[in-house]
Amino acid sequence: SCWLQPHEVQNISFKQAVRVLNPDLDTEESLDLPTDKCCLCMCWQMVFNPPAFMKEHKENVTKLTKIDYCEVDVVHFQALATLYARFYHSKKVARLGKHWENIGFQGHNPATDLRSVGMWGILQLLFFAEYCYNQAQIIVDYSQNKHHGFPFAVVGLNFSLIGINLMNAGAFDKLAIELNSLVKVLNMWYCGAWKHFIDTWKDEGATMADSGFIMMEVEKYLSANIVETVRAGSKLHEFYIGDNGEERTEKSFLGSVVLS
């Protein structure tokens, strides 16, 4: 089958992939941080006059969760292949094969793991690999540990699902309105989720036998500590290594703002 033959990887960025999959989702929302809004004013706005971008972002992120991975869609494969190539520096990747287990899919066909969050799950993995490369590479390497390994991709997809559930419950609303971007809050929370997970997994000396308990405890923390998780993700986002191997530094998207 041609799907078992390696194909040339044409790297695609998170923003490029989003632009193709759902051009209505603005990932470039400016972050003009307010300094003069009291808590009561924020609560009033959240309930009675939420900014237009909140509804739009929620709808457009939800659309991405409903886009199933398609084997014959070029952009879908590019996103997945880029994810693999980023960690294993491969120039060619086959559509099907055991190699997908190296980044934590459960079988030879990654599509079977994507049903709960669709392409949004791949996009968030791609975001993490692109903007938090150092930490992501460390986690992928550790996930292959003989005794303490775990399925990297599957864990990431679980974080995406938890994030979507929290978004639908309104857990990100206050912070997203303060920072003028729901998408970036979602992605920073996702990166922070990885930081908390790997710290917990290592501290507990966890194995796959402990995975159910660990994920339950991690989810409790992530749900109850939104701001702290976003702040942790923001710090990871400040420094990373680009595709060309050069170190790149970006200003934290939270800056020096004190979040309540």
Side-chain angles (χ1 to χ4, degrees):
S1 170
C2 65
W3 287 356
L4 298 176
Q5 301 301 314
H7 295 263
E8 196 78 29
V9 176
Q10 297 180 359
N11 287 308
I12 188 169
S13 70
F14 169 81
K15 290 178 182 178
Q16 288 171 334
V18 169
R19 206 170 293 134
V20 174
L21 294 171
N22 189 351
D24 293 330
L25 182 59
D26 183 8
T27 61
E28 298 291 347
E29 199 75 51
S30 62
L31 290 166
D32 299 322
L33 306 182
T35 57
D36 58 350
K37 287 190 177 180
C38 66
C39 183
L40 183 60
C41 294
M42 287 297 303
C43 291
W44 179 273
Q45 182 180 24
M46 285 171 60
V47 176
F48 297 107
N49 189 31
F53 78 82
M54 288 292 292
K55 183 173 183 290
E56 293 169 1
H57 278 196
K58 285 184 179 181
E59 288 178 350
N60 285 309
V61 168
T62 300
K63 285 180 183 177
L64 288 168
T65 69
K66 297 184 184 303
I67 298 176
D68 294 329
Y69 179 79
C70 177
E71 298 287 1
V72 297
D73 189 295
V74 174
V75 173
H76 289 198
F77 177 68
Q78 283 178 348
L80 203 55
T82 298
L83 182 66
Y84 184 88
R86 193 173 295 276
F87 295 125
Y88 285 94
H89 312 289
S90 305
K91 294 184 178 180
K92 290 187 176 184
V93 178
R95 291 178 183 269
L96 302 177
K98 190 173 177 59
H99 57 284
W100 293 115
E101 296 177 15
N102 294 338
I103 56 170
F105 288 101
Q106 296 183 102
H108 292 196
N109 184 0
T112 58
D113 293 322
L114 299 173
R115 290 166 186 160
S116 59
V117 285
M119 285 303 295
W120 177 245
I122 290 294
L123 289 171
Q124 286 206 294
L125 283 166
L126 191 60
F127 182 93
F128 186 52
E130 182 177 348
Y131 288 99
C132 304
Y133 175 81
N134 278 349
Q135 184 72 17
Q137 184 69 69
I138 289 169
I139 292 173
V140 168
D141 290 344
Y142 193 81
S143 75
Q144 297 299 300
N145 185 284
K146 183 177 179 181
H147 301 291
H148 301 286
F150 52 86
F152 170 79
V154 171
V155 172
L157 296 174
N158 279 330
F159 291 151
S160 291
L161 181 59
I162 294 168
I164 291 298
N165 290 337
L166 289 172
M167 180 190 77
N168 290 334
F172 298 120
D173 288 4
K174 182 176 183 291
L175 188 54
I177 291 172
E178 285 186 41
L179 300 177
N180 199 34
S181 176
L182 175 60
V183 173
K184 288 190 176 182
V185 168
L186 272 169
N187 282 332
M188 290 301 101
W189 175 90
Y190 178 86
C191 296
W194 270 115
K195 178 68 167 63
H196 182 69
F197 167 82
I198 195 62
D199 288 348
T200 303
W201 190 270
K202 286 183 174 180
D203 289 346
E204 295 293 330
T207 67
M208 282 303 296
D210 308 305
S211 60
F213 172 76
I214 294 290
M215 285 303 297
M216 183 173 63
E217 292 301 306
V218 166
E219 182 173 357
K220 285 181 184 177
Y221 175 88
L222 298 177
S223 301
N225 297 276
I226 301 293
V227 172
E228 292 81 0
T229 305
V230 169
R231 184 181 287 116
S234 174
K235 290 177 181 177
L236 290 182
H237 179 56
E238 290 181 47
F239 175 76
Y240 64 102
I241 296 178
D243 288 334
N244 58 2
E246 293 181 359
E247 295 181 354
R248 301 169 63 181
T249 303
E250 287 198 353
K251 182 179 179 181
S252 166
F253 105 95
L254 291 182
S256 58
V257 177
V258 177
L259 300 172
S260 57

